[in-house]
Amino acid sequence: KPVEAPSRRPLQMALDTDENLDDKAVVAHINKLTGMKGCALMFGDGLSLAGSLPPEYGTEGLCAMAPTIMQRIEKHMVETKLGTLRGMTLSCEKGSVTFFMHANLCLAALHTGGELAQEVQEKLARVVHELSKKYSNPV
């Protein structure tokens, strides 16, 4: 009979690791993804949870207001035929920041160049979705 591998939680599957994942470990795994310069996790009210954004970029204020912007955009997405909002990218002269949000959790991903690779975007969206379950209020 084959030996069964220990079952991974969905967040571990999203990051392809058997490691126990606290918020800081999630940030460390995200930073290893192709093209990443740093990231931050914050709640819907902008309160920071964990992060590793380089201080020289001064992104604190932007990250604090991003969840509110994402929530406002999401309300208007239902009027469009574009489907569900997956992320919002701000393309800037010295880098780009893509925000992913699910429920009450937002992830800011600072990256090099323009767009993040599709597979990296999907992984980040999955990570924020799974991690948000940890912080959402049970109904």
Side-chain angles (χ1 to χ4, degrees), residues 44-46 59-70 88 90 99:
D45 61 5
T59 55
E60 296 83 8
L62 177 64
C63 288
M65 66 175 236
T68 303
I69 294 170
M70 294 284 290
M88 174 181 74
L90 301 178
F99 296 96

Side-chain angles (χ1 to χ4, degrees), residues 21-82:
L21 294 169
D22 61 10
D23 301 330
K24 288 182 179 170
V26 168
V27 165
H29 276 277
I30 290 171
N31 287 337
K32 293 178 195 167
L33 297 174
T34 305
M36 295 297 299
K37 282 188 183 178
C39 69
L41 291 164
M42 53 264 172
F43 291 111
D45 61 5
L47 183 68
S48 179
L49 183 59
S52 64
L53 291 169
E56 63 269 21
Y57 287 97
T59 55
E60 296 83 8
L62 177 64
C63 288
M65 66 175 236
T68 303
I69 294 170
M70 294 284 290
Q71 289 163 347
R72 291 183 69 180
I73 290 172
E74 206 162 25
K75 285 180 184 169
H76 294 283
M77 290 303 294
V78 294
E79 302 162 10
T80 74
K81 306 283 187 255
L82 296 171

